[in-house]
Amino acid sequence: YLGPLVFQGIVSYSTFTGDLAGFEMSPLATVLQYNGIQESREFYMPKYNTPGDAASRIPDLRNLLFWSSTVSTDKEGKAVVPFYTSDQEGAYRVVVQGLTPEGEAGYGTFSFEVSGRE
């Protein structure tokens, strides 16, 4: 809420000088600093192209197993996303977040367990 205006979601204000030109925010407002839109990055993901790569004695202890900004779904909203798990045994939770072509957000979660190295 800002005076008579009602906003759904996040409102981002910025000025060239960073002082909002003297505009005073309500003391009841929640003000957070954030980086805004960032460029897409490529996250490390191992490739086991040979049996020797897969048999490596160097453990894979990543906790971020897969991240991509370019996964697209089919008309039913489904996609196949292959990735390798960590060698760290335990329960993992997958969080899938995305946007529709209309800009509507959606998400889903599921869990799986890693037990022993194959």
Side-chain angles (χ1 to χ4, degrees), residues 56-92:
S56 171
R57 296 178 52 92
I58 300 172
D60 177 357
L61 301 177
R62 294 171 297 132
N63 58 11
L64 175 62
L65 302 180
F66 182 83
W67 186 94
S68 176
S69 64
T70 59
V71 175
S72 295
T73 61
D74 61 18
K75 291 182 181 181
E76 296 176 357
K78 297 182 180 186
V80 175
V81 180
F83 63 92
Y84 292 100
T85 64
S86 171
D87 291 332
Q88 182 69 43
E89 295 184 11
Y92 288 81

PDB file of all heavy atoms in Angstrom, residues 56-92:
ATOM      1  N   SER A  56      35.981 -42.388 -10.724  1.00  0.00           N
ATOM      2  CA  SER A  56      36.924 -41.498 -10.056  1.00  0.00           C
ATOM      3  C   SER A  56      36.805 -41.609  -8.542  1.00  0.00           C
ATOM      4  O   SER A  56      35.709 -41.744  -7.999  1.00  0.00           O
ATOM      5  CB  SER A  56      36.653 -40.055 -10.473  1.00  0.00           C
ATOM      6  OG  SER A  56      37.406 -39.172  -9.678  1.00  0.00           O
ATOM      7  N   ARG A  57      37.967 -41.560  -7.891  1.00  0.00           N
ATOM      8  CA  ARG A  57      37.981 -41.636  -6.427  1.00  0.00           C
ATOM      9  C   ARG A  57      37.784 -40.268  -5.791  1.00  0.00           C
ATOM     10  O   ARG A  57      37.718 -40.143  -4.584  1.00  0.00           O
ATOM     11  CB  ARG A  57      39.282 -42.261  -5.963  1.00  0.00           C
ATOM     12  CG  ARG A  57      39.433 -43.707  -6.430  1.00  0.00           C
ATOM     13  CD  ARG A  57      40.749 -44.304  -6.001  1.00  0.00           C
ATOM     14  NE  ARG A  57      41.030 -44.161  -4.589  1.00  0.00           N
ATOM     15  CZ  ARG A  57      40.722 -45.047  -3.652  1.00  0.00           C
ATOM     16  NH1 ARG A  57      40.088 -46.143  -3.981  1.00  0.00           N
ATOM     17  NH2 ARG A  57      41.045 -44.849  -2.392  1.00  0.00           N
ATOM     18  N   ILE A  58      37.693 -39.227  -6.603  1.00  0.00           N
ATOM     19  CA  ILE A  58      37.460 -37.892  -6.065  1.00  0.00           C
ATOM     20  C   ILE A  58      35.961 -37.752  -5.805  1.00  0.00           C
ATOM     21  O   ILE A  58      35.154 -37.826  -6.726  1.00  0.00           O
ATOM     22  CB  ILE A  58      37.936 -36.803  -7.048  1.00  0.00           C
ATOM     23  CG1 ILE A  58      39.435 -36.954  -7.310  1.00  0.00           C
ATOM     24  CG2 ILE A  58      37.605 -35.420  -6.506  1.00  0.00           C
ATOM     25  CD1 ILE A  58      39.966 -36.059  -8.398  1.00  0.00           C
ATOM     26  N   PRO A  59      35.552 -37.593  -4.543  1.00  0.00           N
ATOM     27  CA  PRO A  59      34.115 -37.534  -4.249  1.00  0.00           C
ATOM     28  C   PRO A  59      33.474 -36.244  -4.751  1.00  0.00           C
ATOM     29  O   PRO A  59      34.088 -35.183  -4.770  1.00  0.00           O
ATOM     30  CB  PRO A  59      34.051 -37.610  -2.726  1.00  0.00           C
ATOM     31  CG  PRO A  59      35.373 -37.112  -2.261  1.00  0.00           C
ATOM     32  CD  PRO A  59      36.365 -37.465  -3.333  1.00  0.00           C
ATOM     33  N   ASP A  60      32.246 -36.375  -5.172  1.00  0.00           N
ATOM     34  CA  ASP A  60      31.429 -35.235  -5.619  1.00  0.00           C
ATOM     35  C   ASP A  60      30.550 -34.852  -4.434  1.00  0.00           C
ATOM     36  O   ASP A  60      29.597 -35.553  -4.112  1.00  0.00           O
ATOM     37  CB  ASP A  60      30.587 -35.660  -6.820  1.00  0.00           C
ATOM     38  CG  ASP A  60      29.656 -34.561  -7.314  1.00  0.00           C
ATOM     39  OD1 ASP A  60      29.610 -33.477  -6.694  1.00  0.00           O
ATOM     40  OD2 ASP A  60      28.970 -34.792  -8.319  1.00  0.00           O
ATOM     41  N   LEU A  61      30.871 -33.766  -3.764  1.00  0.00           N
ATOM     42  CA  LEU A  61      30.152 -33.371  -2.549  1.00  0.00           C
ATOM     43  C   LEU A  61      29.335 -32.099  -2.747  1.00  0.00           C
ATOM     44  O   LEU A  61      29.091 -31.352  -1.803  1.00  0.00           O
ATOM     45  CB  LEU A  61      31.142 -33.199  -1.386  1.00  0.00           C
ATOM     46  CG  LEU A  61      31.961 -34.449  -1.051  1.00  0.00           C
ATOM     47  CD1 LEU A  61      32.954 -34.162   0.062  1.00  0.00           C
ATOM     48  CD2 LEU A  61      31.052 -35.609  -0.685  1.00  0.00           C
ATOM     49  N   ARG A  62      28.872 -31.867  -3.983  1.00  0.00           N
ATOM     50  CA  ARG A  62      28.057 -30.678  -4.236  1.00  0.00           C
ATOM     51  C   ARG A  62      26.732 -30.763  -3.478  1.00  0.00           C
ATOM     52  O   ARG A  62      26.169 -31.835  -3.308  1.00  0.00           O
ATOM     53  CB  ARG A  62      27.721 -30.576  -5.738  1.00  0.00           C
ATOM     54  CG  ARG A  62      28.882 -30.342  -6.626  1.00  0.00           C
ATOM     55  CD  ARG A  62      28.485 -30.470  -8.093  1.00  0.00           C
ATOM     56  NE  ARG A  62      28.036 -31.821  -8.363  1.00  0.00           N
ATOM     57  CZ  ARG A  62      26.921 -32.140  -9.011  1.00  0.00           C
ATOM     58  NH1 ARG A  62      26.145 -31.211  -9.492  1.00  0.00           N
ATOM     59  NH2 ARG A  62      26.583 -33.385  -9.207  1.00  0.00           N
ATOM     60  N   ASN A  63      26.212 -29.617  -3.031  1.00  0.00           N
ATOM     61  CA  ASN A  63      24.867 -29.591  -2.458  1.00  0.00           C
ATOM     62  C   ASN A  63      23.879 -28.928  -3.413  1.00  0.00           C
ATOM     63  O   ASN A  63      22.679 -29.055  -3.249  1.00  0.00           O
ATOM     64  CB  ASN A  63      24.830 -28.932  -1.077  1.00  0.00           C
ATOM     65  CG  ASN A  63      25.352 -27.520  -1.094  1.00  0.00           C
ATOM     66  OD1 ASN A  63      25.557 -26.926  -2.148  1.00  0.00           O
ATOM     67  ND2 ASN A  63      25.560 -26.957   0.073  1.00  0.00           N
ATOM     68  N   LEU A  64      24.355 -28.203  -4.421  1.00  0.00           N
ATOM     69  CA  LEU A  64      23.507 -27.696  -5.495  1.00  0.00           C
ATOM     70  C   LEU A  64      23.758 -28.614  -6.681  1.00  0.00           C
ATOM     71  O   LEU A  64      24.824 -28.579  -7.298  1.00  0.00           O
ATOM     72  CB  LEU A  64      23.856 -26.250  -5.861  1.00  0.00           C
ATOM     73  CG  LEU A  64      23.099 -25.666  -7.043  1.00  0.00           C
ATOM     74  CD1 LEU A  64      21.597 -25.626  -6.754  1.00  0.00           C
ATOM     75  CD2 LEU A  64      23.608 -24.289  -7.380  1.00  0.00           C
ATOM     76  N   LEU A  65      22.791 -29.498  -6.975  1.00  0.00           N
ATOM     77  CA  LEU A  65      23.010 -30.527  -7.979  1.00  0.00           C
ATOM     78  C   LEU A  65      22.723 -30.049  -9.396  1.00  0.00           C
ATOM     79  O   LEU A  65      23.354 -30.509 -10.342  1.00  0.00           O
ATOM     80  CB  LEU A  65      22.148 -31.751  -7.662  1.00  0.00           C
ATOM     81  CG  LEU A  65      22.391 -32.373  -6.285  1.00  0.00           C
ATOM     82  CD1 LEU A  65      21.486 -33.583  -6.097  1.00  0.00           C
ATOM     83  CD2 LEU A  65      23.845 -32.730  -6.085  1.00  0.00           C
ATOM     84  N   PHE A  66      21.774 -29.152  -9.547  1.00  0.00           N
ATOM     85  CA  PHE A  66      21.427 -28.684 -10.887  1.00  0.00           C
ATOM     86  C   PHE A  66      20.722 -27.347 -10.779  1.00  0.00           C
ATOM     87  O   PHE A  66      19.893 -27.151  -9.892  1.00  0.00           O
ATOM     88  CB  PHE A  66      20.493 -29.696 -11.577  1.00  0.00           C
ATOM     89  CG  PHE A  66      20.133 -29.304 -12.981  1.00  0.00           C
ATOM     90  CD1 PHE A  66      20.978 -29.577 -14.035  1.00  0.00           C
ATOM     91  CD2 PHE A  66      18.938 -28.665 -13.246  1.00  0.00           C
ATOM     92  CE1 PHE A  66      20.651 -29.213 -15.334  1.00  0.00           C
ATOM     93  CE2 PHE A  66      18.594 -28.300 -14.535  1.00  0.00           C
ATOM     94  CZ  PHE A  66      19.456 -28.568 -15.584  1.00  0.00           C
ATOM     95  N   TRP A  67      21.051 -26.431 -11.682  1.00  0.00           N
ATOM     96  CA  TRP A  67      20.354 -25.149 -11.768  1.00  0.00           C
ATOM     97  C   TRP A  67      20.420 -24.706 -13.217  1.00  0.00           C
ATOM     98  O   TRP A  67      21.477 -24.750 -13.844  1.00  0.00           O
ATOM     99  CB  TRP A  67      21.013 -24.097 -10.886  1.00  0.00           C
ATOM    100  CG  TRP A  67      20.242 -22.828 -10.834  1.00  0.00           C
ATOM    101  CD1 TRP A  67      19.318 -22.479  -9.889  1.00  0.00           C
ATOM    102  CD2 TRP A  67      20.284 -21.736 -11.762  1.00  0.00           C
ATOM    103  NE1 TRP A  67      18.803 -21.244 -10.177  1.00  0.00           N
ATOM    104  CE2 TRP A  67      19.371 -20.771 -11.334  1.00  0.00           C
ATOM    105  CE3 TRP A  67      21.003 -21.504 -12.924  1.00  0.00           C
ATOM    106  CZ2 TRP A  67      19.160 -19.583 -12.006  1.00  0.00           C
ATOM    107  CZ3 TRP A  67      20.787 -20.317 -13.609  1.00  0.00           C
ATOM    108  CH2 TRP A  67      19.874 -19.376 -13.133  1.00  0.00           C
ATOM    109  N   SER A  68      19.286 -24.278 -13.747  1.00  0.00           N
ATOM    110  CA  SER A  68      19.266 -23.803 -15.126  1.00  0.00           C
ATOM    111  C   SER A  68      18.147 -22.784 -15.282  1.00  0.00           C
ATOM    112  O   SER A  68      17.066 -22.937 -14.722  1.00  0.00           O
ATOM    113  CB  SER A  68      19.030 -24.956 -16.098  1.00  0.00           C
ATOM    114  OG  SER A  68      18.923 -24.465 -17.415  1.00  0.00           O
ATOM    115  N   SER A  69      18.418 -21.761 -16.059  1.00  0.00           N
ATOM    116  CA  SER A  69      17.392 -20.752 -16.342  1.00  0.00           C
ATOM    117  C   SER A  69      16.743 -20.987 -17.695  1.00  0.00           C
ATOM    118  O   SER A  69      15.928 -20.185 -18.131  1.00  0.00           O
ATOM    119  CB  SER A  69      18.016 -19.353 -16.307  1.00  0.00           C
ATOM    120  OG  SER A  69      18.978 -19.238 -17.340  1.00  0.00           O
ATOM    121  N   THR A  70      17.079 -22.087 -18.362  1.00  0.00           N
ATOM    122  CA  THR A  70      16.615 -22.279 -19.731  1.00  0.00           C
ATOM    123  C   THR A  70      15.800 -23.552 -19.944  1.00  0.00           C
ATOM    124  O   THR A  70      15.640 -23.988 -21.073  1.00  0.00           O
ATOM    125  CB  THR A  70      17.808 -22.302 -20.706  1.00  0.00           C
ATOM    126  OG1 THR A  70      18.686 -23.369 -20.341  1.00  0.00           O
ATOM    127  CG2 THR A  70      18.557 -20.972 -20.681  1.00  0.00           C
ATOM    128  N   VAL A  71      15.272 -24.165 -18.892  1.00  0.00           N
ATOM    129  CA  VAL A  71      14.457 -25.364 -19.060  1.00  0.00           C
ATOM    130  C   VAL A  71      13.071 -24.952 -19.532  1.00  0.00           C
ATOM    131  O   VAL A  71      12.438 -24.083 -18.943  1.00  0.00           O
ATOM    132  CB  VAL A  71      14.354 -26.157 -17.737  1.00  0.00           C
ATOM    133  CG1 VAL A  71      13.400 -27.326 -17.878  1.00  0.00           C
ATOM    134  CG2 VAL A  71      15.722 -26.621 -17.297  1.00  0.00           C
ATOM    135  N   SER A  72      12.608 -25.574 -20.607  1.00  0.00           N
ATOM    136  CA  SER A  72      11.261 -25.311 -21.119  1.00  0.00           C
ATOM    137  C   SER A  72      10.441 -26.587 -21.026  1.00  0.00           C
ATOM    138  O   SER A  72      10.965 -27.685 -21.195  1.00  0.00           O
ATOM    139  CB  SER A  72      11.313 -24.844 -22.572  1.00  0.00           C
ATOM    140  OG  SER A  72      11.974 -23.607 -22.669  1.00  0.00           O
ATOM    141  N   THR A  73       9.166 -26.440 -20.769  1.00  0.00           N
ATOM    142  CA  THR A  73       8.277 -27.590 -20.661  1.00  0.00           C
ATOM    143  C   THR A  73       7.468 -27.762 -21.934  1.00  0.00           C
ATOM    144  O   THR A  73       7.373 -26.857 -22.765  1.00  0.00           O
ATOM    145  CB  THR A  73       7.316 -27.426 -19.469  1.00  0.00           C
ATOM    146  OG1 THR A  73       6.527 -26.255 -19.680  1.00  0.00           O
ATOM    147  CG2 THR A  73       8.079 -27.301 -18.167  1.00  0.00           C
ATOM    148  N   ASP A  74       6.846 -28.944 -22.047  1.00  0.00           N
ATOM    149  CA  ASP A  74       5.971 -29.179 -23.192  1.00  0.00           C
ATOM    150  C   ASP A  74       4.585 -28.604 -22.891  1.00  0.00           C
ATOM    151  O   ASP A  74       4.393 -27.923 -21.882  1.00  0.00           O
ATOM    152  CB  ASP A  74       5.909 -30.672 -23.529  1.00  0.00           C
ATOM    153  CG  ASP A  74       5.354 -31.525 -22.384  1.00  0.00           C
ATOM    154  OD1 ASP A  74       4.704 -30.968 -21.453  1.00  0.00           O
ATOM    155  OD2 ASP A  74       5.572 -32.741 -22.406  1.00  0.00           O
ATOM    156  N   LYS A  75       3.613 -28.868 -23.747  1.00  0.00           N
ATOM    157  CA  LYS A  75       2.266 -28.308 -23.569  1.00  0.00           C
ATOM    158  C   LYS A  75       1.587 -28.792 -22.297  1.00  0.00           C
ATOM    159  O   LYS A  75       0.692 -28.139 -21.783  1.00  0.00           O
ATOM    160  CB  LYS A  75       1.400 -28.631 -24.780  1.00  0.00           C
ATOM    161  CG  LYS A  75       1.828 -27.891 -26.019  1.00  0.00           C
ATOM    162  CD  LYS A  75       0.925 -28.194 -27.185  1.00  0.00           C
ATOM    163  CE  LYS A  75       1.409 -27.436 -28.419  1.00  0.00           C
ATOM    164  NZ  LYS A  75       0.562 -27.670 -29.581  1.00  0.00           N
ATOM    165  N   GLU A  76       2.031 -29.946 -21.784  1.00  0.00           N
ATOM    166  CA  GLU A  76       1.468 -30.485 -20.539  1.00  0.00           C
ATOM    167  C   GLU A  76       2.226 -29.982 -19.308  1.00  0.00           C
ATOM    168  O   GLU A  76       1.931 -30.384 -18.197  1.00  0.00           O
ATOM    169  CB  GLU A  76       1.480 -32.006 -20.586  1.00  0.00           C
ATOM    170  CG  GLU A  76       0.588 -32.576 -21.678  1.00  0.00           C
ATOM    171  CD  GLU A  76       0.699 -34.080 -21.764  1.00  0.00           C
ATOM    172  OE1 GLU A  76       1.504 -34.683 -21.016  1.00  0.00           O
ATOM    173  OE2 GLU A  76      -0.029 -34.660 -22.582  1.00  0.00           O
ATOM    174  N   GLY A  77       3.224 -29.126 -19.520  1.00  0.00           N
ATOM    175  CA  GLY A  77       3.998 -28.588 -18.408  1.00  0.00           C
ATOM    176  C   GLY A  77       5.070 -29.533 -17.905  1.00  0.00           C
ATOM    177  O   GLY A  77       5.522 -29.413 -16.776  1.00  0.00           O
ATOM    178  N   LYS A  78       5.507 -30.488 -18.738  1.00  0.00           N
ATOM    179  CA  LYS A  78       6.496 -31.478 -18.318  1.00  0.00           C
ATOM    180  C   LYS A  78       7.797 -31.298 -19.077  1.00  0.00           C
ATOM    181  O   LYS A  78       7.813 -30.866 -20.223  1.00  0.00           O
ATOM    182  CB  LYS A  78       5.956 -32.888 -18.545  1.00  0.00           C
ATOM    183  CG  LYS A  78       4.730 -33.167 -17.705  1.00  0.00           C
ATOM    184  CD  LYS A  78       4.240 -34.571 -17.893  1.00  0.00           C
ATOM    185  CE  LYS A  78       3.007 -34.792 -17.020  1.00  0.00           C
ATOM    186  NZ  LYS A  78       2.571 -36.162 -17.061  1.00  0.00           N
ATOM    187  N   ALA A  79       8.898 -31.656 -18.392  1.00  0.00           N
ATOM    188  CA  ALA A  79      10.232 -31.623 -18.996  1.00  0.00           C
ATOM    189  C   ALA A  79      11.081 -32.691 -18.332  1.00  0.00           C
ATOM    190  O   ALA A  79      10.868 -33.034 -17.172  1.00  0.00           O
ATOM    191  CB  ALA A  79      10.874 -30.255 -18.816  1.00  0.00           C
ATOM    192  N   VAL A  80      12.034 -33.226 -19.064  1.00  0.00           N
ATOM    193  CA  VAL A  80      13.001 -34.167 -18.511  1.00  0.00           C
ATOM    194  C   VAL A  80      14.308 -33.418 -18.318  1.00  0.00           C
ATOM    195  O   VAL A  80      14.824 -32.799 -19.250  1.00  0.00           O
ATOM    196  CB  VAL A  80      13.208 -35.374 -19.466  1.00  0.00           C
ATOM    197  CG1 VAL A  80      14.304 -36.281 -18.947  1.00  0.00           C
ATOM    198  CG2 VAL A  80      11.901 -36.134 -19.638  1.00  0.00           C
ATOM    199  N   VAL A  81      14.837 -33.478 -17.085  1.00  0.00           N
ATOM    200  CA  VAL A  81      16.062 -32.753 -16.745  1.00  0.00           C
ATOM    201  C   VAL A  81      17.041 -33.753 -16.116  1.00  0.00           C
ATOM    202  O   VAL A  81      16.938 -34.046 -14.931  1.00  0.00           O
ATOM    203  CB  VAL A  81      15.769 -31.594 -15.768  1.00  0.00           C
ATOM    204  CG1 VAL A  81      17.036 -30.848 -15.433  1.00  0.00           C
ATOM    205  CG2 VAL A  81      14.714 -30.666 -16.334  1.00  0.00           C
ATOM    206  N   PRO A  82      17.972 -34.294 -16.898  1.00  0.00           N
ATOM    207  CA  PRO A  82      18.933 -35.248 -16.325  1.00  0.00           C
ATOM    208  C   PRO A  82      20.043 -34.533 -15.556  1.00  0.00           C
ATOM    209  O   PRO A  82      20.492 -33.457 -15.949  1.00  0.00           O
ATOM    210  CB  PRO A  82      19.499 -35.961 -17.555  1.00  0.00           C
ATOM    211  CG  PRO A  82      19.334 -34.976 -18.665  1.00  0.00           C
ATOM    212  CD  PRO A  82      18.125 -34.141 -18.328  1.00  0.00           C
ATOM    213  N   PHE A  83      20.458 -35.127 -14.442  1.00  0.00           N
ATOM    214  CA  PHE A  83      21.575 -34.590 -13.660  1.00  0.00           C
ATOM    215  C   PHE A  83      22.165 -35.709 -12.830  1.00  0.00           C
ATOM    216  O   PHE A  83      21.519 -36.725 -12.587  1.00  0.00           O
ATOM    217  CB  PHE A  83      21.128 -33.422 -12.761  1.00  0.00           C
ATOM    218  CG  PHE A  83      20.126 -33.803 -11.718  1.00  0.00           C
ATOM    219  CD1 PHE A  83      20.528 -34.196 -10.447  1.00  0.00           C
ATOM    220  CD2 PHE A  83      18.767 -33.763 -11.995  1.00  0.00           C
ATOM    221  CE1 PHE A  83      19.608 -34.542  -9.474  1.00  0.00           C
ATOM    222  CE2 PHE A  83      17.832 -34.103 -11.033  1.00  0.00           C
ATOM    223  CZ  PHE A  83      18.258 -34.500  -9.775  1.00  0.00           C
ATOM    224  N   TYR A  84      23.412 -35.543 -12.413  1.00  0.00           N
ATOM    225  CA  TYR A  84      24.082 -36.491 -11.539  1.00  0.00           C
ATOM    226  C   TYR A  84      23.895 -36.049 -10.102  1.00  0.00           C
ATOM    227  O   TYR A  84      23.921 -34.858  -9.796  1.00  0.00           O
ATOM    228  CB  TYR A  84      25.582 -36.563 -11.847  1.00  0.00           C
ATOM    229  CG  TYR A  84      25.885 -37.176 -13.184  1.00  0.00           C
ATOM    230  CD1 TYR A  84      26.173 -36.383 -14.279  1.00  0.00           C
ATOM    231  CD2 TYR A  84      25.867 -38.552 -13.346  1.00  0.00           C
ATOM    232  CE1 TYR A  84      26.449 -36.948 -15.516  1.00  0.00           C
ATOM    233  CE2 TYR A  84      26.140 -39.133 -14.579  1.00  0.00           C
ATOM    234  CZ  TYR A  84      26.428 -38.317 -15.658  1.00  0.00           C
ATOM    235  OH  TYR A  84      26.692 -38.873 -16.875  1.00  0.00           O
ATOM    236  N   THR A  85      23.734 -37.031  -9.210  1.00  0.00           N
ATOM    237  CA  THR A  85      23.607 -36.696  -7.797  1.00  0.00           C
ATOM    238  C   THR A  85      24.986 -36.526  -7.174  1.00  0.00           C
ATOM    239  O   THR A  85      25.998 -36.871  -7.764  1.00  0.00           O
ATOM    240  CB  THR A  85      22.860 -37.800  -7.012  1.00  0.00           C
ATOM    241  OG1 THR A  85      23.638 -38.995  -7.040  1.00  0.00           O
ATOM    242  CG2 THR A  85      21.488 -38.049  -7.586  1.00  0.00           C
ATOM    243  N   SER A  86      24.986 -36.013  -5.979  1.00  0.00           N
ATOM    244  CA  SER A  86      26.207 -35.899  -5.191  1.00  0.00           C
ATOM    245  C   SER A  86      26.579 -37.275  -4.651  1.00  0.00           C
ATOM    246  O   SER A  86      25.739 -38.184  -4.600  1.00  0.00           O
ATOM    247  CB  SER A  86      25.936 -34.934  -4.031  1.00  0.00           C
ATOM    248  OG  SER A  86      26.987 -34.934  -3.114  1.00  0.00           O
ATOM    249  N   ASP A  87      27.824 -37.457  -4.240  1.00  0.00           N
ATOM    250  CA  ASP A  87      28.232 -38.687  -3.555  1.00  0.00           C
ATOM    251  C   ASP A  87      27.871 -38.624  -2.077  1.00  0.00           C
ATOM    252  O   ASP A  87      28.007 -39.616  -1.365  1.00  0.00           O
ATOM    253  CB  ASP A  87      29.738 -38.906  -3.700  1.00  0.00           C
ATOM    254  CG  ASP A  87      30.130 -39.255  -5.123  1.00  0.00           C
ATOM    255  OD1 ASP A  87      29.292 -39.826  -5.851  1.00  0.00           O
ATOM    256  OD2 ASP A  87      31.269 -38.943  -5.511  1.00  0.00           O
ATOM    257  N   GLN A  88      27.453 -37.471  -1.607  1.00  0.00           N
ATOM    258  CA  GLN A  88      27.068 -37.301  -0.207  1.00  0.00           C
ATOM    259  C   GLN A  88      25.732 -37.996   0.024  1.00  0.00           C
ATOM    260  O   GLN A  88      24.724 -37.619  -0.565  1.00  0.00           O
ATOM    261  CB  GLN A  88      26.946 -35.812   0.140  1.00  0.00           C
ATOM    262  CG  GLN A  88      26.608 -35.524   1.573  1.00  0.00           C
ATOM    263  CD  GLN A  88      27.751 -35.870   2.501  1.00  0.00           C
ATOM    264  OE1 GLN A  88      28.902 -35.584   2.237  1.00  0.00           O
ATOM    265  NE2 GLN A  88      27.425 -36.502   3.602  1.00  0.00           N
ATOM    266  N   GLU A  89      25.736 -39.039   0.860  1.00  0.00           N
ATOM    267  CA  GLU A  89      24.503 -39.767   1.136  1.00  0.00           C
ATOM    268  C   GLU A  89      23.543 -38.906   1.948  1.00  0.00           C
ATOM    269  O   GLU A  89      23.949 -38.094   2.759  1.00  0.00           O
ATOM    270  CB  GLU A  89      24.810 -41.062   1.889  1.00  0.00           C
ATOM    271  CG  GLU A  89      25.611 -42.041   1.071  1.00  0.00           C
ATOM    272  CD  GLU A  89      25.837 -43.367   1.775  1.00  0.00           C
ATOM    273  OE1 GLU A  89      25.201 -43.602   2.827  1.00  0.00           O
ATOM    274  OE2 GLU A  89      26.636 -44.154   1.268  1.00  0.00           O
ATOM    275  N   GLY A  90      22.260 -39.103   1.701  1.00  0.00           N
ATOM    276  CA  GLY A  90      21.248 -38.394   2.459  1.00  0.00           C
ATOM    277  C   GLY A  90      20.030 -38.085   1.623  1.00  0.00           C
ATOM    278  O   GLY A  90      19.928 -38.479   0.461  1.00  0.00           O
ATOM    279  N   ALA A  91      19.089 -37.377   2.225  1.00  0.00           N
ATOM    280  CA  ALA A  91      17.840 -36.996   1.561  1.00  0.00           C
ATOM    281  C   ALA A  91      18.026 -35.641   0.892  1.00  0.00           C
ATOM    282  O   ALA A  91      18.616 -34.735   1.477  1.00  0.00           O
ATOM    283  CB  ALA A  91      16.700 -36.939   2.575  1.00  0.00           C
ATOM    284  N   TYR A  92      17.536 -35.531  -0.319  1.00  0.00           N
ATOM    285  CA  TYR A  92      17.619 -34.290  -1.086  1.00  0.00           C
ATOM    286  C   TYR A  92      16.218 -33.827  -1.445  1.00  0.00           C
ATOM    287  O   TYR A  92      15.346 -34.630  -1.741  1.00  0.00           O
ATOM    288  CB  TYR A  92      18.435 -34.490  -2.373  1.00  0.00           C
ATOM    289  CG  TYR A  92      19.909 -34.658  -2.107  1.00  0.00           C
ATOM    290  CD1 TYR A  92      20.425 -35.884  -1.711  1.00  0.00           C
ATOM    291  CD2 TYR A  92      20.769 -33.595  -2.240  1.00  0.00           C
ATOM    292  CE1 TYR A  92      21.773 -36.041  -1.464  1.00  0.00           C
ATOM    293  CE2 TYR A  92      22.126 -33.728  -1.994  1.00  0.00           C
ATOM    294  CZ  TYR A  92      22.617 -34.960  -1.601  1.00  0.00           C
ATOM    295  OH  TYR A  92      23.945 -35.104  -1.357  1.00  0.00           O
TER     296      TYR A  92
END
